[in-house]
Amino acid sequence: MEGVYVDTSAICYIDGKGGKLYYRGYDVEELPERSSYEEVVYLLWYGRLPKKKELEEFKKNLAKNRFLPGEVLELMDKLPKSVHPMGALRTIISYLGNLDGEPSLSTGDVYQKGISVTAKMPTIIANLWRTKNGLDYVEPKTELGHAANFLYMLRGEEPTLREEKSLDVALILYAEHEINASAFTVMTVGSTLSDYYSAVVAGIGALKGPLHGGAVEEALNQFIEVGSPERAEEWFWETLRSGKRIMGAGHRVYKTYDPRARIFKNYARELGNPRLFEVAERIEELVETHLAEKGVHVNVDYWAGIVFHALGIPPELYTTVFAMGRIAGWTAHLAEYLTHNRLIRPRLKYVGEIGKRYVPIEERE
Ligand SMILES: CC(C)(COP(=O)(O)OP(=O)(O)OC[C@H]1O[C@@H](n2cnc3c(N)ncnc32)[C@H](O)[C@@H]1OP(=O)(O)O)[C@@H](O)C(=O)NCCC(=O)NCCS
């Protein structure tokens, strides 16, 4: 479906040639310094920036929805320790749907359930990791912002203002990106008038793959594997020779430098492990020199892992943090599509045979 416009939308505009990204008309490069994740969620859902009181209410509503039902904590304990956090997140969100018991899907419902799931995701992700590693459950703190509360629950201590800001910016940059594979999946499930949880669970499944959200974790792992800038060139050519891809590079829509990658790079330079940063910068140079003619440049996932690493977030959680941000965009697209819903049902061009004679099994020698 490369280049196919499935519908119209007023949520997000990507200028793939110019390397620009707009949420509801606002340049994403302006939002990190001036806004917050909660404000961006409001903007994406309701189409405008909130007034002071509206934002306060919205934040309060999110904060009070952070707590998990006891049944969810019990389920967390029972999940196999070997399961990847994205698989575990998928199961827990599905279970929240079972507990909610209201399967209907309307635009009003989407925002109400959107608040509940957006608020709970950080509690789920932080505590999935803690449970898996034999650490005690940490209750959310309602007085902290969305990003700070996640780092607090994950690490057991409140982050510095700079750490909080870095994660908040990451969540803003991951909040929305038009009709990528996961948003399309969410919309497709929603178009059958299934339910909010089923749509989000399907989106998590799509995001998990290494060609989509899974690339964040793999990008960081490749820098660790290379280990030193001197090894980068040999590794780069060997990777291409063996038909593999540089993770965190290339994009279906951007054919120039991803504007989100530029912002992440600044945070990675400031906070990241200097050795990893040097390795990544050397590989980036090679990508820009040898792959730019194919339209391949580094993307949002390239530098994000170095920032997450600096915040003490374990690599296996990176894609879940992406999902924690992207729940905003999935919810916005679902709600928008439901205002004029029509079942999404494309066609496949058939290239097989027709009119074949059925042969009874005894005669098939
Ligand atoms: C994102 C991605 C799936 C987009 O793929 P796509 O739009 O289908 O692009 P194509 O597979 O048609 O690639 C076009 C060319 O660029 C090359 N290319 C694309 N991404 C590449 C990468 N990451 N490393 C090396 N070469 C790459 C392809 O090999 C192809 O070369 P060819 O024309 O000589 O065969 C792809 O770039 C990729 O696999 N990237 C790595 C995973 C990643 O970072 N995903 C996160 C995306 S935000």
Side-chain angles (χ1 to χ4, degrees), residues 211-212 215 240 245-252 294 296 299 301:
L211 297 187
H212 193 1
L240 295 190
R245 296 200 162 185
I246 313 299
M247 298 313 281
H251 200 276
R252 182 62 61 77
K294 291 185 183 178
V296 176
N299 62 48
D301 298 329

